[in-house]
Amino acid sequence: MWDRIKADFSNWEAKNPIENTFINNCIFNADSLYESVAFVLSNKISTHLLIVQDWIQLFNKAYNNSDYLRTSLEQDLQAILDRDFACTRISDPLLHYNGFHGLQLQRLANYFFKNGIYATSSLIHDRMISCCSMDIHPAVPVGLGTVIDHGIGVVIGETARIGNNVFMYHNVTLGSNGTIGGDRHPTIEDDVLLGSNTSILGNITIGKGSAVAAGSIVTKSVPPEVLVAGNPAKEIGPAKEFQKKGH
Amino acid sequence: MWDRIKADFSNWEAKNPIENTFINNCIFNADSLYESVAFVLSNKISTHLLIVQDWIQLFNKAYNNSDYLRTSLEQDLQAILDRDFACTRISDPLLHYNGFHGLQLQRLANYFFKNGIYATSSLIHDRMISCCSMDIHPAVPVGLGTVIDHGIGVVIGETARIGNNVFMYHNVTLGSNGTIGGDRHPTIEDDVLLGSNTSILGNITIGKGSAVAAGSIVTKSVPPEVLVAGNPAKEIGPAKEFQKKGH
Amino acid sequence: MWDRIKADFSNWEAKNPIENTFINNCIFNADSLYESVAFVLSNKISTHLLIVQDWIQLFNKAYNNSDYLRTSLEQDLQAILDRDFACTRISDPLLHYNGFHGLQLQRLANYFFKNGIYATSSLIHDRMISCCSMDIHPAVPVGLGTVIDHGIGVVIGETARIGNNVFMYHNVTLGSNGTIGGDRHPTIEDDVLLGSNTSILGNITIGKGSAVAAGSIVTKSVPPEVLVAGNPAKEIGPAKEFQKKGH
Amino acid sequence: MWDRIKADFSNWEAKNPIENTFINNCIFNADSLYESVAFVLSNKISTHLLIVQDWIQLFNKAYNNSDYLRTSLEQDLQAILDRDFACTRISDPLLHYNGFHGLQLQRLANYFFKNGIYATSSLIHDRMISCCSMDIHPAVPVGLGTVIDHGIGVVIGETARIGNNVFMYHNVTLGSNGTIGGDRHPTIEDDVLLGSNTSILGNITIGKGSAVAAGSIVTKSVPPEVLVAGNPAKEIGPAKEFQKKGH
Amino acid sequence: MWDRIKADFSNWEAKNPIENTFINNCIFNADSLYESVAFVLSNKISTHLLIVQDWIQLFNKAYNNSDYLRTSLEQDLQAILDRDFACTRISDPLLHYNGFHGLQLQRLANYFFKNGIYATSSLIHDRMISCCSMDIHPAVPVGLGTVIDHGIGVVIGETARIGNNVFMYHNVTLGSNGTIGGDRHPTIEDDVLLGSNTSILGNITIGKGSAVAAGSIVTKSVPPEVLVAGNPAKEIGPAKEFQKKGH
Amino acid sequence: MWDRIKADFSNWEAKNPIENTFINNCIFNADSLYESVAFVLSNKISTHLLIVQDWIQLFNKAYNNSDYLRTSLEQDLQAILDRDFACTRISDPLLHYNGFHGLQLQRLANYFFKNGIYATSSLIHDRMISCCSMDIHPAVPVGLGTVIDHGIGVVIGETARIGNNVFMYHNVTLGSNGTIGGDRHPTIEDDVLLGSNTSILGNITIGKGSAVAAGSIVTKSVPPEVLVAGNPAKEIGPAKEFQKKGH
């Protein structure tokens, strides 16, 4: 995949110092996809206090240690290229997509969370919010091949679970219903599509292959393969038609 | 309260330079809660032009001068610990919670606004938006013991008023109805709960102890102690059950 | 217009180093409105890797080369002063308004996009998202005299079009309906008002002078001069009353 | 003394943002001479890794804790004003004099050295070398009212001792004779003048009130009140005439 | 001359991001020699407090306003190429030579000094010392075609004067004799050569075309066209042979 | 050797955030001596334009590729510990010694110079001058086990050569005699000692095991094993006594 990414720049010429520095550092100077994404993310989230060289080293070590981080990174990129109409080059999400950046930061935060390195996990979480306007709790397990399009306003709570091949637009809430503790957030099964500005609230399940139309509020579990819409959301047909194409 | 915060780190060992630098600066090196929060916020919002050492000094002076800033800071922290299911350590909001950081920045902006230091107030306001994805006008008076959970997408207009012990999720709008000037934003009385993705629009009042369910749009005043929901929001029962537990 | 802006500071005295440095750099030291806004935006979006001096030079050259960039900048400022109740000084949006900053960044990204300088365009786009919580695709043509109030959560897709004198609140989505590619986003005609938390989805048109009430979801074209509301949005009267005053 | 320093800027008007930011931060915003010098030095030596806010806090605490640091700071400033022909304003050394900055950094390094905080002491020492081209070992006790003019190239070894009211030009070496360990560097008694490009080598003493002419190399002790010159340095007369005026 | 400089990079290819960013910013992106040197110097001396974008603007304005700054810049570059054996490309001093950088900073400091902008002048002076280990007082008039080779340790006092085509090695002192005020530093006439580690002390004159051998200390005026050496320096022959070649 | 260095910090406790961040980054977080020194040097020389993460990567690759860089680094450290009276811990030069830092930077510049990467070589050279006040040309071959004590003011020209086990104090010049080009700088053979403030000028040789006393100027070759002193330097005895101990 790294060769495909570099191929996007085979005849590239910088038009000014900004893009020259950026592409040279992030593409031409990296030895692997993992090194490239570690560099991109580190520069995005570093501050005066949380310095860039420390993030780079930390993230490179995490990618070296975790097969899941490397696999999910590749599959997320491929999923965007396959399903996002606006994406025609595989290097674009790597370099520029907010939703992709936020998701990879959550995957890194989750890696440290699972290894008991909580302060680091929380720092990455907080920087994800500041830099991507996305708030996904580090504890959330996220499946492979995930697309979070735009990502702004996405809020996903501590006990949520997300399956494989989920496609999610901006401003999606996977929240609690606000009255009980414990396991209080939704489970999103494989192949689900969540439209923009939707809220899924409480310890409920959105069944495999279902879709939630933009602007819906869902407070009860949804069976597989259906399309729901409205506030409160109701089943309005099968999900097939809605799901079968790109986005 | 500062002793309780430091106690969270009594046996703490840094796992890497990122968290080592952060915790040492923000916890072990601070002499008080006020100094700690001034440091955390200053580092979060500083830029190449608006330099960190100036923010630190400015915020330290503000906390030294204002009893209200110090009191509200402590009561906000306690309220999060009491009411947010995901929060188990009092140091976590201080160091890592976006909604808490945004709220304290608004309180600081409000302090300078009330003292006629408008450019500083506006600068803090703008940095709050960039760093916390929250936009609360500096003129808004906010009561004690406030919780803003997640905070992303919260927009609160110039003439809004917020009472004590209000709990607010992300993406809440306290807006105008868009047709008249002057006092055009809502008043939120004590003990109100505002669900995620709710809009309260116009010079109306949400009565003491009431709750607005997630995704509601409210354009008329709501009496005390009731639960409203929907678009347009309607009363659907008493608020008690919804309110009595944590979140 | 630059003289009017400077007049806002004719008797101004700095209260502390933060505002002193900011106003001196952005107002007293600039030779023109264009130089001032290039400085403000460059400082807002610069990072450790994408350095401030390169942005300043890049943006100054863009403003020098493009009449449209200069004209739209002036008309956007005037529109805010005319229509935003909270704005009483023309220098305030220039220095502090998130929606204004995000819009000018989109106009710059669009300028580079139209000139085939795609990497730069994408970089500006990504920084706009990080710093303004706004995601407007660089390809979108935006008319003159545009106001984006607050701006947080605004997401506007690749094939959308926006006319003149549009007023838009925060958290507005101009999205696709998620099933087909090509020209898949809305056209917003002149003089339209889009309330907060509204979604306009698909290749539809919001007719000249119409208004969409806060919280609406619109999936079918709207004729001129009407007010629509709800999910799905329905016509509920003429737009006149809603439109005629400021906001 | 702080009032006299501030008086230098009673009618001052900034000519550009560089000097505006500098003077506002270092003079108008400081509450005391100690706070001012801590700010000036911290900004001079801070790096990407050794961050400015930490130096400011560290130096402020040192000045608060040490009478000797505060006294020597004041007497050094006064000595420069009294004895350096090029200095007509007491604020100039504070803000701009390399030799003064290097000396105060050595005094701070010495403070930490004496308190057993060696890593900090060594860091200040190394930053002094980088930023002032001066290398005075942190262990060296330096008396009151010291002037180091220009300071470039000054190298003073670990076991040297410097009395009160010493005046030293640039490129002075107080070195060892290179053959034995232990107490191997010179003692400079009160009121001594050391010309530029002089070397005093070995465990010898330059007696009270003596002067060493520029370019001399001294390897044997010098009695009080004489003038020595040459390589090897020889007594060429009384020091009186040479010493009695300013420099 | 700018074309000749750019020609040095006609077939250049960056080997890594460091040199890529540097050469692109300093050569390919500059529109003139003046813009290039302003960029190089600004980046060299900028700090966290004295920010790079302000230096760039300040220096660009100075070069635009002063024929002498532009002329001396070009003649200094040409003189290095003509006389320094180690220099084979005219772009090398521009980008990398410490003595050249220090001299141009002194010329800029002198420009502001002569225009009564003293704080800026002193700031440049202090940054020159820190970054170049050279200390030339801003008041000193320096003629055209000057070469300062290496530059480390050069100290030149307030009332010194330097003619045209002077060549000076490192560690040269043009100092006072330490006993009287007023006009107390040397005058160096045209075409003089000053060897490394030489001291010229007092209000004396080194005559046109003379040379001072390395390590000399000169305290009496030297007639034109002679070579002096030693401590105290004595005439040891004509300067011709010593002067006629490059260095 | 890395284990010995880490052993210096086996019971170390940070006294403040400055030293905590420094030691954690440079010692506890590094996996090898090479990684540690790459980090220390990168942070020392990085600027706003020449960014730290690029230096770190560049230097790590150089150390990985060059046996000579790794060997000379270790032998230089050992030589300081063996011969510098003031050095009692092997970690001190690594972290804090200016002469050691400057020398390693020269070795890195020399590595890039020999590989034809000239712009990078020149950039390192220029940063060495700014940060260490040392100017050693990148072309100079430097032998193993070299000590440069203090280092300030050291200037070594393009065609100089330095053998093994050379000990050099500050302010040493290995210069040309200023009249001819080509091979015009000195050769310093193994085991030579050069005192402070000495100048060795021209294409001459200082013979194996000889010593030059402080303040000497040498313009003729010196045979092995002798001690020379004065201006011009003359043989004053055997070097043995002078050489046999540490410094």
Side-chain angles (χ1 to χ4, degrees):
Chain A
M1 180 169 275
W2 185 230
D3 289 339
R4 290 162 59 198
I5 288 169
K6 284 193 292 187
D8 285 348
F9 294 89
S10 56
N11 295 307
W12 186 79
E13 282 185 28
K15 303 295 194 308
N16 54 58
I18 282 281
E19 62 180 54
N20 178 56
T21 291
F22 187 71
I23 300 301
N24 267 281
N25 270 284
C26 299
I27 300 292
F28 297 141
N29 193 50
D31 288 333
S32 67
L33 173 57
Y34 320 115
E35 204 177 299
S36 174
V37 79
F39 193 91
V40 170
L41 297 177
S42 296
N43 281 291
K44 191 162 195 168
I45 69 171
S46 68
T47 71
H48 186 73
L49 183 68
L50 306 170
I51 55 180
V52 67
Q53 60 271 53
D54 285 343
W55 287 119
I56 289 175
Q57 191 193 49
L58 192 73
F59 288 172
N60 275 322
K61 286 186 180 174
Y63 280 114
N64 281 332
N65 288 339
S66 165
D67 290 343
Y68 191 74
L69 279 179
R70 293 197 306 275
T71 302
S72 56
L73 166 59
E74 293 207 6
Q75 296 204 13
D76 291 346
L77 276 179
Q78 187 61 49
I80 296 170
L81 190 63
D82 292 345
R83 301 182 70 182
D84 181 342
F85 288 131
C87 179
T88 57
R89 306 189 335 155
I90 196 161
S91 60
D92 279 345
L94 170 66
L95 297 174
H96 303 301
Y97 278 27
N98 186 65
F100 173 78
H101 291 169
L103 176 57
Q104 303 316 308
L105 287 169
Q106 196 275 342
R107 293 189 185 283
L108 286 157
N110 177 253
Y111 167 82
F112 291 106
F113 184 90
K114 285 186 301 186
N115 285 279
I117 305 175
Y118 298 113
T120 297
S121 175
S122 294
L123 282 168
I124 298 171
H125 182 202
D126 192 35
R127 295 307 299 153
M128 179 207 327
I129 301 175
S130 279
C131 298
C132 303
S133 296
M134 293 166 62
D135 178 350
I136 311 179
H137 196 284
V140 176
V142 179
L144 298 169
T146 309
V147 184
I148 301 181
D149 201 12
H150 306 296
I152 291 184
V154 166
V155 176
I156 298 179
E158 185 184 18
T159 61
R161 278 178 291 268
I162 297 174
N164 296 319
N165 304 314
V166 169
F167 191 111
M168 187 187 300
Y169 281 92
H170 58 281
N171 209 22
V172 165
T173 295
L174 305 185
S176 70
N177 60 13
T179 53
I180 48 169
D183 197 346
R184 62 201 185 281
H185 297 102
T187 295
I188 310 298
E189 294 189 341
D190 294 352
D191 307 323
V192 163
L193 181 126
L194 302 175
S196 59
N197 300 295
T198 54
S199 290
I200 321 292
L201 302 173
N203 183 4
I204 60 176
T205 297
I206 308 296
K208 186 174 190 302
S210 283
V212 179
S216 302
I217 298 184
V218 187
T219 55
K220 294 181 183 165
S221 287
V222 170
E225 305 296 341
V226 300
L227 171 63
V228 299
N231 175 11
K234 293 176 187 164
E235 194 177 324
I236 61 170
K240 263 187 208 166
E241 192 64 25
F242 200 70
Q243 283 281 36
K244 72 181 171 192
K245 298 193 187 157
H247 294 281
Chain B
M1 179 170 276
W2 185 229
D3 289 338
R4 288 163 59 198
I5 288 169
K6 284 193 293 186
D8 285 349
F9 294 89
S10 55
N11 295 308
W12 184 79
E13 281 185 29
K15 302 296 194 307
N16 54 58
I18 282 282
E19 62 179 56
N20 179 55
T21 292
F22 188 71
I23 300 301
N24 267 281
N25 271 283
C26 299
I27 299 293
F28 297 140
N29 192 50
D31 288 334
S32 67
L33 173 58
Y34 320 116
E35 206 178 295
S36 175
V37 80
F39 193 92
V40 170
L41 297 177
S42 296
N43 281 291
K44 191 162 196 168
I45 69 172
S46 68
T47 72
H48 186 73
L49 184 68
L50 306 170
I51 54 180
V52 66
Q53 61 270 53
D54 285 343
W55 288 119
I56 289 174
Q57 190 192 50
L58 192 73
F59 289 172
N60 274 322
K61 285 186 179 172
Y63 280 114
N64 281 330
N65 288 339
S66 166
D67 289 344
Y68 190 73
L69 278 179
R70 292 196 306 276
T71 302
S72 55
L73 165 60
E74 294 207 4
Q75 297 204 11
D76 291 345
L77 276 179
Q78 186 62 51
I80 295 170
L81 189 63
D82 293 345
R83 299 183 69 184
D84 181 342
F85 288 130
C87 179
T88 57
R89 305 191 334 157
I90 197 160
S91 61
D92 279 344
L94 170 66
L95 297 174
H96 302 300
Y97 278 26
N98 185 66
F100 173 77
H101 292 168
L103 175 57
Q104 304 316 308
L105 287 170
Q106 196 274 345
R107 293 190 184 283
L108 285 157
N110 177 254
Y111 168 82
F112 291 106
F113 184 91
K114 287 186 300 187
N115 285 279
I117 305 175
Y118 298 114
T120 297
S121 175
S122 293
L123 282 168
I124 298 171
H125 183 202
D126 193 35
R127 295 308 299 154
M128 180 208 327
I129 300 175
S130 278
C131 299
C132 303
S133 296
M134 294 167 60
D135 177 352
I136 312 179
H137 196 284
V140 176
V142 179
L144 298 170
T146 308
V147 183
I148 300 182
D149 200 12
H150 306 294
I152 292 183
V154 165
V155 176
I156 299 179
E158 184 184 19
T159 61
R161 276 178 294 268
I162 297 173
N164 296 319
N165 304 315
V166 169
F167 191 110
M168 185 186 303
Y169 280 93
H170 59 281
N171 209 23
V172 166
T173 295
L174 305 184
S176 71
N177 60 14
T179 53
I180 49 169
D183 198 346
R184 62 202 184 281
H185 297 101
T187 294
I188 309 299
E189 294 189 342
D190 295 352
D191 306 323
V192 164
L193 180 127
L194 302 175
S196 58
N197 300 295
T198 55
S199 290
I200 322 293
L201 303 172
N203 183 4
I204 61 176
T205 296
I206 307 298
K208 185 173 190 305
S210 283
V212 179
S216 303
I217 299 184
V218 187
T219 55
K220 293 182 183 165
S221 287
V222 170
E225 305 294 342
V226 299
L227 171 63
V228 299
N231 176 11
K234 291 175 189 167
E235 193 176 325
I236 59 169
K240 265 187 204 164
E241 193 63 24
F242 200 70
Q243 285 280 36
K244 71 182 171 191
K245 300 191 186 158
H247 295 280
Chain C
M1 180 170 274
W2 185 229
D3 289 339
R4 289 163 58 199
I5 289 168
K6 284 194 293 188
D8 284 350
F9 293 89
S10 55
N11 295 308
W12 185 79
E13 283 185 27
K15 303 294 195 307
N16 54 58
I18 282 281
E19 62 178 56
N20 178 55
T21 291
F22 187 72
I23 299 301
N24 268 281
N25 271 284
C26 299
I27 300 293
F28 297 141
N29 193 50
D31 287 334
S32 68
L33 174 56
Y34 320 115
E35 205 177 298
S36 174
V37 80
F39 192 92
V40 170
L41 297 177
S42 296
N43 281 292
K44 192 163 197 170
I45 69 172
S46 68
T47 71
H48 186 71
L49 183 68
L50 306 170
I51 55 181
V52 67
Q53 60 270 54
D54 285 343
W55 287 119
I56 289 174
Q57 191 193 49
L58 192 75
F59 288 171
N60 275 323
K61 286 186 179 174
Y63 280 114
N64 281 332
N65 288 339
S66 165
D67 289 344
Y68 190 74
L69 278 179
R70 293 196 305 277
T71 302
S72 56
L73 165 60
E74 294 208 3
Q75 296 203 12
D76 290 346
L77 275 179
Q78 186 62 49
I80 295 169
L81 190 62
D82 292 346
R83 299 182 70 183
D84 181 342
F85 288 131
C87 179
T88 56
R89 306 192 333 158
I90 196 160
S91 61
D92 279 345
L94 170 66
L95 297 175
H96 302 300
Y97 278 27
N98 185 65
F100 174 77
H101 291 169
L103 177 57
Q104 303 315 309
L105 287 170
Q106 195 277 342
R107 293 188 184 285
L108 286 157
N110 177 253
Y111 167 83
F112 291 105
F113 184 91
K114 286 187 301 186
N115 285 280
I117 305 174
Y118 297 114
T120 298
S121 175
S122 294
L123 282 168
I124 300 171
H125 182 201
D126 193 35
R127 295 308 299 154
M128 179 208 326
I129 300 175
S130 278
C131 299
C132 302
S133 296
M134 293 166 62
D135 178 350
I136 312 178
H137 197 282
V140 176
V142 179
L144 299 169
T146 308
V147 183
I148 300 181
D149 201 12
H150 306 293
I152 291 183
V154 165
V155 177
I156 298 178
E158 185 184 19
T159 62
R161 278 178 292 270
I162 298 174
N164 296 319
N165 304 315
V166 169
F167 191 110
M168 186 187 300
Y169 280 94
H170 57 282
N171 209 23
V172 166
T173 295
L174 304 184
S176 70
N177 59 14
T179 52
I180 48 169
D183 198 346
R184 62 202 184 281
H185 297 103
T187 295
I188 309 299
E189 294 190 343
D190 294 352
D191 307 324
V192 164
L193 181 127
L194 301 175
S196 58
N197 301 296
T198 55
S199 291
I200 322 292
L201 302 172
N203 183 4
I204 61 176
T205 297
I206 307 298
K208 183 173 193 301
S210 282
V212 179
S216 303
I217 298 184
V218 188
T219 55
K220 295 182 181 163
S221 287
V222 170
E225 306 294 341
V226 300
L227 171 62
V228 298
N231 175 12
K234 293 177 188 165
E235 194 178 324
I236 60 170
K240 263 188 206 165
E241 192 64 24
F242 200 71
Q243 283 280 39
K244 71 183 173 191
K245 299 193 185 157
H247 296 279
Chain D
M1 181 170 276
W2 184 232
D3 289 339
R4 289 163 58 200
I5 288 170
K6 284 193 294 187
D8 283 349
F9 293 89
S10 56
N11 296 307
W12 186 79
E13 282 186 29
K15 301 297 194 306
N16 53 58
I18 282 283
E19 62 179 55
N20 178 56
T21 291
F22 187 72
I23 301 301
N24 268 280
N25 271 283
C26 299
I27 300 293
F28 298 140
N29 193 50
D31 288 335
S32 68
L33 173 57
Y34 320 114
E35 205 178 298
S36 174
V37 81
F39 193 92
V40 169
L41 297 177
S42 296
N43 280 292
K44 192 162 196 169
I45 68 171
S46 68
T47 72
H48 186 73
L49 184 67
L50 305 170
I51 56 181
V52 67
Q53 60 270 52
D54 285 342
W55 287 119
I56 290 174
Q57 191 193 48
L58 193 72
F59 289 171
N60 274 322
K61 285 185 180 175
Y63 279 114
N64 281 331
N65 289 338
S66 166
D67 288 344
Y68 190 73
L69 279 179
R70 291 197 307 276
T71 301
S72 56
L73 165 60
E74 294 207 5
Q75 296 203 14
D76 291 344
L77 276 179
Q78 187 62 50
I80 295 170
L81 189 63
D82 291 346
R83 301 182 69 183
D84 180 342
F85 288 131
C87 178
T88 56
R89 305 188 336 153
I90 197 161
S91 60
D92 279 345
L94 169 65
L95 297 174
H96 302 300
Y97 277 26
N98 185 66
F100 173 77
H101 291 169
L103 177 56
Q104 302 317 306
L105 287 170
Q106 196 275 342
R107 293 190 184 283
L108 285 157
N110 177 253
Y111 167 82
F112 291 106
F113 184 91
K114 286 187 300 186
N115 284 278
I117 305 176
Y118 298 114
T120 296
S121 175
S122 293
L123 282 168
I124 298 170
H125 182 203
D126 192 36
R127 296 308 299 154
M128 180 209 325
I129 300 174
S130 278
C131 299
C132 302
S133 295
M134 295 166 62
D135 178 352
I136 312 178
H137 197 283
V140 176
V142 180
L144 298 170
T146 308
V147 183
I148 300 181
D149 202 11
H150 307 294
I152 290 183
V154 166
V155 177
I156 298 179
E158 185 183 18
T159 61
R161 279 178 290 269
I162 298 173
N164 296 320
N165 304 314
V166 169
F167 190 111
M168 185 186 301
Y169 280 94
H170 57 282
N171 209 23
V172 166
T173 294
L174 305 185
S176 70
N177 60 12
T179 53
I180 48 169
D183 197 346
R184 64 202 184 280
H185 298 101
T187 295
I188 309 300
E189 293 189 343
D190 295 351
D191 307 322
V192 164
L193 181 126
L194 303 174
S196 57
N197 301 295
T198 54
S199 290
I200 320 294
L201 303 172
N203 183 5
I204 61 177
T205 297
I206 307 298
K208 185 174 189 304
S210 283
V212 180
S216 304
I217 299 184
V218 187
T219 55
K220 294 182 183 164
S221 287
V222 171
E225 305 293 342
V226 300
L227 171 62
V228 300
N231 175 11
K234 293 176 188 164
E235 195 175 325
I236 60 170
K240 263 188 204 163
E241 193 64 25
F242 200 70
Q243 284 280 36
K244 71 179 175 194
K245 297 195 185 154
H247 297 279
Chain E
M1 180 169 277
W2 185 229
D3 289 338
R4 290 164 57 199
I5 288 169
K6 283 193 295 187
D8 284 349
F9 293 89
S10 56
N11 296 307
W12 186 79
E13 281 186 30
K15 301 296 193 307
N16 53 57
I18 281 283
E19 62 179 55
N20 178 56
T21 291
F22 187 72
I23 301 301
N24 267 280
N25 270 284
C26 298
I27 299 292
F28 298 140
N29 192 48
D31 288 334
S32 68
L33 173 57
Y34 320 115
E35 205 177 298
S36 175
V37 80
F39 193 92
V40 170
L41 297 176
S42 296
N43 281 292
K44 191 163 196 169
I45 69 172
S46 68
T47 71
H48 185 72
L49 184 67
L50 306 170
I51 54 181
V52 68
Q53 61 269 52
D54 284 343
W55 287 120
I56 289 175
Q57 191 193 49
L58 192 73
F59 288 172
N60 275 322
K61 285 186 179 174
Y63 280 113
N64 281 331
N65 288 340
S66 166
D67 288 343
Y68 190 74
L69 278 179
R70 291 196 307 276
T71 301
S72 55
L73 165 60
E74 294 207 4
Q75 297 203 13
D76 291 345
L77 276 179
Q78 187 62 50
I80 295 170
L81 189 64
D82 292 345
R83 301 182 69 184
D84 181 343
F85 289 130
C87 179
T88 57
R89 307 190 332 157
I90 196 160
S91 61
D92 279 346
L94 169 65
L95 297 174
H96 303 300
Y97 277 26
N98 185 66
F100 173 78
H101 291 169
L103 176 56
Q104 304 315 309
L105 287 170
Q106 196 276 343
R107 293 191 185 282
L108 286 157
N110 177 254
Y111 166 82
F112 291 106
F113 184 90
K114 286 187 301 186
N115 285 279
I117 306 176
Y118 298 114
T120 297
S121 176
S122 294
L123 281 168
I124 298 171
H125 182 202
D126 191 36
R127 295 308 299 153
M128 179 209 326
I129 300 174
S130 279
C131 300
C132 303
S133 296
M134 294 167 62
D135 177 352
I136 312 177
H137 196 283
V140 176
V142 180
L144 298 170
T146 309
V147 183
I148 300 181
D149 201 13
H150 307 292
I152 291 184
V154 165
V155 176
I156 300 179
E158 184 184 18
T159 61
R161 277 177 292 267
I162 298 173
N164 296 319
N165 305 315
V166 170
F167 190 109
M168 185 186 301
Y169 281 94
H170 57 282
N171 209 20
V172 166
T173 295
L174 304 185
S176 70
N177 60 13
T179 53
I180 49 169
D183 198 347
R184 63 202 183 281
H185 297 101
T187 294
I188 310 299
E189 292 189 342
D190 296 350
D191 307 322
V192 164
L193 181 126
L194 302 175
S196 57
N197 300 296
T198 54
S199 289
I200 321 294
L201 302 173
N203 183 5
I204 61 176
T205 297
I206 308 297
K208 185 173 190 307
S210 284
V212 180
S216 304
I217 299 184
V218 187
T219 55
K220 294 183 181 163
S221 287
V222 170
E225 305 294 342
V226 301
L227 171 62
V228 299
N231 174 13
K234 292 176 188 164
E235 196 176 323
I236 60 171
K240 263 188 206 165
E241 192 63 23
F242 200 71
Q243 283 280 34
K244 70 180 174 193
K245 298 194 185 156
H247 295 279
Chain F
M1 180 170 275
W2 185 230
D3 289 338
R4 289 163 58 200
I5 288 169
K6 284 193 293 185
D8 284 349
F9 293 90
S10 56
N11 295 306
W12 186 79
E13 281 185 28
K15 302 295 195 308
N16 54 57
I18 281 283
E19 61 178 56
N20 178 55
T21 290
F22 188 71
I23 300 301
N24 267 280
N25 270 284
C26 299
I27 299 293
F28 297 141
N29 193 49
D31 288 333
S32 68
L33 174 57
Y34 319 115
E35 204 178 298
S36 174
V37 80
F39 193 93
V40 170
L41 296 176
S42 296
N43 281 293
K44 191 162 194 167
I45 69 173
S46 69
T47 71
H48 185 72
L49 184 67
L50 306 170
I51 55 181
V52 68
Q53 60 269 55
D54 285 342
W55 287 119
I56 289 174
Q57 191 194 48
L58 193 73
F59 288 172
N60 274 322
K61 286 186 180 175
Y63 280 113
N64 281 331
N65 289 338
S66 167
D67 289 344
Y68 190 74
L69 279 178
R70 292 196 306 276
T71 301
S72 55
L73 165 60
E74 293 207 6
Q75 296 203 11
D76 291 345
L77 276 179
Q78 186 63 50
I80 296 170
L81 189 62
D82 291 346
R83 301 181 69 183
D84 181 343
F85 288 131
C87 178
T88 56
R89 306 191 334 157
I90 196 160
S91 61
D92 278 345
L94 170 66
L95 297 175
H96 302 301
Y97 276 27
N98 185 66
F100 173 78
H101 291 169
L103 177 56
Q104 303 316 309
L105 287 170
Q106 196 275 343
R107 293 190 185 282
L108 286 157
N110 178 255
Y111 166 83
F112 291 106
F113 185 89
K114 286 186 300 185
N115 286 278
I117 305 176
Y118 298 113
T120 297
S121 175
S122 294
L123 282 168
I124 298 171
H125 182 202
D126 192 35
R127 295 308 299 154
M128 180 209 325
I129 301 174
S130 279
C131 300
C132 303
S133 294
M134 294 166 63
D135 177 352
I136 311 177
H137 197 283
V140 177
V142 180
L144 298 171
T146 310
V147 183
I148 301 181
D149 201 13
H150 305 295
I152 291 184
V154 165
V155 177
I156 299 178
E158 185 184 18
T159 61
R161 277 178 292 269
I162 297 173
N164 296 319
N165 304 316
V166 170
F167 191 110
M168 187 186 298
Y169 281 94
H170 58 282
N171 209 23
V172 166
T173 295
L174 305 184
S176 70
N177 60 13
T179 53
I180 47 168
D183 198 346
R184 62 201 185 282
H185 298 102
T187 294
I188 309 299
E189 294 189 342
D190 294 351
D191 307 324
V192 164
L193 182 125
L194 302 175
S196 58
N197 301 294
T198 55
S199 290
I200 321 293
L201 302 172
N203 183 4
I204 61 176
T205 296
I206 306 298
K208 184 172 191 305
S210 283
V212 180
S216 303
I217 299 184
V218 188
T219 55
K220 295 182 181 164
S221 287
V222 171
E225 306 294 342
V226 301
L227 171 63
V228 299
N231 175 11
K234 292 175 189 166
E235 195 176 323
I236 60 171
K240 262 187 208 165
E241 192 66 22
F242 200 69
Q243 283 281 38
K244 69 181 175 193
K245 299 195 185 157
H247 294 281

